[in-house]
Amino acid sequence: MATIEECRRALDKFSDNLAGSEGDVRAAATLDRSLSCRITDLDVTFVGRLEDGRIRVVDTLQGPPPDKAQIRLAMTGDDLVAMVDGELHFAKAWASGRVKLEAALLDLLRLRKLL
């Protein structure tokens, strides 16, 4: 089982990958939205923002977030690490229910280029 620190490093790596992206992926990453990433098996939520092509984690909370972010992800820590390491494809994980993504319809359309 991935630790909180490993999950945080995975989010940082994902942020670095976004910052270095180009084309359609870069354009999708330029959204300015509140973000939460709930790690279900650790009962932890990382909250922050997707802005300027990066994910900025502001806080790490026990349990679910108190406020509803504009972009909400939920998954196990192992799935987060596997996705960022390229061992698990987002679309397959989402289709099988291993990863949950909630956002406004227009945001989902833009985010599909990232994921």
Side-chain angles (χ1 to χ4, degrees):
M1 182 166 69
T3 66
I4 293 172
E5 293 78 21
E6 290 170 323
C7 292
R8 177 58 193 261
R9 282 194 301 270
L11 284 173
D12 289 343
K13 182 177 178 182
F14 183 51
S15 179
D16 291 344
N17 291 346
L18 289 177
S21 62
E22 296 177 2
D24 288 344
V25 173
R26 181 68 180 163
T30 60
L31 287 171
D32 183 7
R33 302 287 189 270
S34 60
L35 174 79
S36 67
C37 181
R38 179 146 170 73
I39 307 301
T40 56
D41 57 334
L42 298 175
D43 194 27
V44 167
T45 303
F46 297 97
V47 293
R49 290 199 73 79
L50 173 61
E51 61 184 357
D52 298 324
R54 297 194 69 86
I55 296 171
R56 182 176 48 91
V57 175
V58 176
D59 204 356
T60 305
L61 308 171
Q62 281 300 125
D67 299 315
K68 187 176 174 182
Q70 292 167 302
I71 299 171
R72 299 168 302 283
L73 288 161
M75 68 198 80
T76 67
D78 288 341
D79 285 344
L80 172 63
V81 171
M83 279 193 305
V84 172
D85 287 344
E87 298 166 8
L88 177 64
H89 191 270
F90 176 83
K92 289 181 182 179
W94 177 74
S96 68
R98 289 172 65 179
V99 173
K100 295 186 182 5
L101 171 63
E102 296 177 44
L105 181 59
L106 291 176
D107 288 343
L108 287 172
L109 292 173
R110 288 186 72 188
L111 289 170
R112 69 187 170 133
K113 294 173 185 165
L114 294 177
L115 308 167

